[in-house]
Amino acid sequence: MNWFLRLMIIGCLCWNISPLSAAGPDSVELKASRDKAINFLKNSQNEDGTWTFSEAAGISALVTSALIESGVPVTDPTVDKALKKLVSFCQEDGRICSARSQHSGYETAVALMALQDANQSGKYTPQIKKAEQFLRNLQFDESKDIKPSDLEYGGAGYGPDGGRPDLSNTVFMIEALKAAGAKADDPDIQKALTFVSRCQNLESEFNTSPAAAKVNDGGFYYNVSAGGASPSGKNQDGGLRSYGSMTYAGLKSMIYAGLTPKDPRVKAALDWIQKNYTVENNPGMGDNGLYYYYQLFAKALDTADLKQVKDSKGQEHDWRKELANHLFKIQEENGSWVNSKSNRWFEGDPNLVTAYTLLALKNCEPTPAAD
């Protein structure tokens, strides 16, 4: 039993969140659903090894990770072709994307993770190391004359050509650095934690931003800098509303940065999750970004070693089983998933959405009861 689970057991009475026994989904149903999805993705791959369109390095990287993490071997012809294409996207400065990409930070982060998933023999170590350095160079910090007191500090954006940081890109950077071997005390991950903390609706010594106290519910939103932004909108006094996908992303990132359940930021995030627990929608966003939410929901709760979540009404939820069963129910006949209610953030693309779902199901695998 690791440190996070031990502390969760100590703290669960305070949080009304339980880490105790959970069965997860039926393993036969899980395999059948995965097999159908894998077959769909194998059949939808382009001849050049990509998915959706030939310059979509990010989508192709997510699909590649989803296949490998779902048990497809790297020697499988589909995966092998995809990996060769990802390597062909590698640029001299370390980015992994089309030369015309305007999302080089995000695409490089997910491509790094796909190559790391396939790197059992060290074959992709050179590309991974160069991509890691590219991502580190994206960070808004002293190297760009950004001070720790500036709201942009520690964040990452879509690319190296100006712009502004946001929580989604920062979360991808943190996870990619972790995949490349960075530890919780890595200086760049600690800088990123500064930005992550400021995107939380929680006034504290870690967040004295103008928006910190206006909502103060412990959830997270998209961006604290450049005047702030939340696709969930603002309240009457200009507070940036929290929403599901960014709150789970924030929780996951804080754990990666070494925070424990004793930290008030973690406790506040888990309190928000307790009050807004659902597998039916992306809280605060409805059907928008729904499958991105599912992937973050599952990854964050798995990273936190939570077996069950007790909601604000006191009901215990075996979240792995509930999410997986919901996903089994809405899977298309051809094995894919697609967001039929909202195309926002490209969720009308079944390749992207099926990748998100397979990654979510990886974190829904049945687990034994806690000791």
Side-chain angles (χ1 to χ4, degrees), residues 77-256:
T78 300
V79 175
D80 180 65
K81 184 186 289 187
L83 289 167
K84 287 176 179 174
K85 185 61 179 180
L86 283 179
V87 169
S88 78
F89 281 122
C90 292
Q91 309 290 327
E92 280 300 314
D93 65 356
R95 72 183 74 193
I96 306 175
C97 59
S98 160
R100 296 186 294 178
S101 173
Q102 297 182 1
H103 306 100
S104 56
Y106 149 72
E107 292 195 292
T108 299
V110 295
L112 184 158
M113 289 185 274
L115 293 177
Q116 185 60 48
D117 282 337
N119 200 38
Q120 295 94 334
S121 65
K123 179 179 180 179
Y124 302 107
T125 298
Q127 293 90 344
I128 290 167
K129 291 301 180 186
K130 289 185 70 173
E132 176 187 359
Q133 191 57 53
F134 174 79
L135 293 172
R136 290 183 185 276
N137 291 341
L138 289 183
Q139 193 167 43
F140 284 69
D141 61 9
E142 293 85 353
S143 68
K144 295 179 175 59
D145 296 323
I146 303 295
K147 302 174 184 176
S149 58
D150 295 333
L151 294 180
E152 296 89 349
Y153 187 81
Y158 277 110
D161 303 319
R164 50 101 181 101
D166 62 70
L167 184 56
S168 182
N169 278 294
T170 303
V171 167
F172 277 118
M173 180 193 73
I174 293 170
E175 185 147 18
L177 294 183
K178 182 178 182 295
K183 305 300 182 185
D185 61 355
D186 183 279
D188 290 337
I189 288 183
Q190 289 302 306
K191 290 176 189 177
L193 176 61
T194 299
F195 184 82
V196 171
S197 298
R198 288 171 175 162
C199 290
Q200 186 175 23
N201 274 315
L202 183 69
E203 188 174 36
S204 71
E205 63 181 296
F206 309 104
N207 186 8
T208 57
S209 67
K214 291 183 177 180
V215 176
N216 215 41
D217 62 1
F220 289 74
Y221 55 88
Y222 182 66
N223 182 29
V224 66
S225 67
S230 171
S232 188
K234 297 181 178 181
N235 63 13
Q236 290 184 342
D237 65 354
L240 297 163
R241 293 194 181 105
S242 306
Y243 60 105
S245 46
M246 286 299 95
T247 300
Y248 285 95
L251 171 63
K252 172 170 65 78
S253 298
M254 291 189 299
I255 296 170
Y256 286 162

